[in-house]
Amino acid sequence: MEIKTEANLSHLNDFILLGFSDSPNLQDILFGIFVIIYLSILIGNGLIIIITKSDAALQTPMYFFLGNFAFLEICYTTVLLPRMLSDLWTRNKNISLLACATQLFFFLILAGTESLFMAVMAYDRYVAICKPLYYTLIMNHKMCIQLVIASWISGAPILMGQTYQVFSLPFCNSNILNHFYCDMSSLMLLSCGDTFWNEFSVYADVILFVIFPFILILCSYTRIFISIHKLPTVIGRSKAFSTCSSHLIVMGLFYGSAMIAYLQPKSSYISGVEKIISLFYTSLTPLFNPLIYSLRNKDVIMAMKKIFSKLRVMKD
């Protein structure tokens, strides 16, 4: 493991990711924990994809978005967790400049897509509850595909430029990244150049890809709650709210942890608390999402029972 100082950073080829601990024993424990987390994310979200694609009762826009969201969660965590697991297993924490830039780019793209996707899912619930007579007309298959594609590609040019801007900085303080992945804030702390415009662009991106979608979600749910309150029966209100509650919980976990991580004042050091907060929106939210959506959704539970029943029949 080569640690470079200011004297020999003119030709920087790699960084060192400190991760969570230098203790060999604790790293073994962390490896086991994150293997379980990653496998659970793959299995849980993979099951959501299979259910939403195979069950005829779930061929609606809501579950179309849920299946795509589960696929996004798998991609999102795959950008970070396999690399972290490799570092914990091999004890080799070096990451090349190209690998670091690639990881940052895909992480930014997928995080921005997830934020936009949540806004799309909130809009779907708004149309379903506030404009039920026009739901099938507005949320037709073509519109659903367009919204999914727009969520995936709309941020790519901006975030590609953001990644290029960060890696254009001169790194001359150290090559040690005090994080478990190539985080933008950690990278800027290593620069000896002027990072004002980089920091400004970070906040601009947070406003564009986090705050703005969050405001759209709040507006959608404000209209939804008003419409639910006007429903004549308690059963109707309960049923309408149950279709939104899972999304609200997932949204709270993702946006809450992301805003805390990126809107707090930056110091010259990335603390352990900040890394734990990062874990929430990079690993724990994708882990909890399948549980939240399945345990709080009768249609998903029924579809899961059908699949397991078919598997038992095939086994017998």
Side-chain angles (χ1 to χ4, degrees), residues 47-48 50-52 54-55 57-58 293-314:
L47 189 58
I48 293 291
I50 293 170
I51 289 170
T52 55
S54 62
D55 194 285
L58 303 184
Y293 280 115
S294 60
L295 295 178
R296 299 182 61 85
N297 191 303
K298 293 180 180 178
D299 293 334
V300 173
I301 292 173
M302 288 297 297
M304 289 177 65
K305 288 180 179 178
K306 290 179 185 177
I307 289 177
F308 291 136
S309 296
K310 289 179 181 178
L311 291 175
R312 281 197 297 268
V313 170
M314 291 173 63

Side-chain angles (χ1 to χ4, degrees), residues 126 129-130 222-231 237:
Y126 160 73
I129 294 173
C130 300
T222 300
R223 297 291 299 275
I224 287 171
F225 291 145
I226 292 172
S227 296
I228 290 176
H229 183 71
K230 292 178 180 179
L231 292 175
R237 288 195 292 269

Side-chain angles (χ1 to χ4, degrees), residues 190-225:
L190 300 185
S191 175
C192 57
D194 184 6
T195 61
F196 172 79
W197 289 110
N198 298 83
E199 293 173 7
F200 177 81
S201 63
V202 169
Y203 286 112
D205 287 345
V206 169
I207 291 172
L208 185 60
F209 294 105
V210 179
I211 303 298
F212 182 65
F214 183 70
I215 291 172
L216 291 178
I217 291 171
L218 287 181
C219 291
S220 296
Y221 275 104
T222 300
R223 297 291 299 275
I224 287 171
F225 291 145

Side-chain angles (χ1 to χ4, degrees), residues 238-255:
S238 176
K239 185 177 180 180
F241 183 75
S242 67
T243 64
C244 305
S245 57
S246 300
H247 183 247
L248 280 171
I249 295 170
V250 170
M251 181 196 71
L253 286 171
F254 178 79
Y255 283 110

Side-chain angles (χ1 to χ4, degrees), residues 159-180:
L159 296 173
M160 185 182 295
Q162 178 79 75
T163 305
Y164 175 79
Q165 189 180 32
V166 170
F167 281 89
S168 295
L169 289 169
F171 297 108
C172 54
N173 291 329
S174 173
N175 71 326
I176 302 175
L177 282 172
N178 187 21
H179 220 301
F180 61 90

Side-chain angles (χ1 to χ4, degrees), residues 15-47:
F15 292 105
I16 297 170
L17 294 168
L18 288 186
F20 287 98
S21 174
D22 290 325
S23 171
N25 294 329
L26 187 55
Q27 287 196 11
D28 291 337
I29 295 171
L30 288 174
F31 178 81
I33 292 172
F34 284 114
V35 163
I36 293 171
I37 289 175
Y38 185 52
L39 290 177
S40 299
I41 290 170
L42 294 180
I43 294 169
N45 286 285
L47 189 58

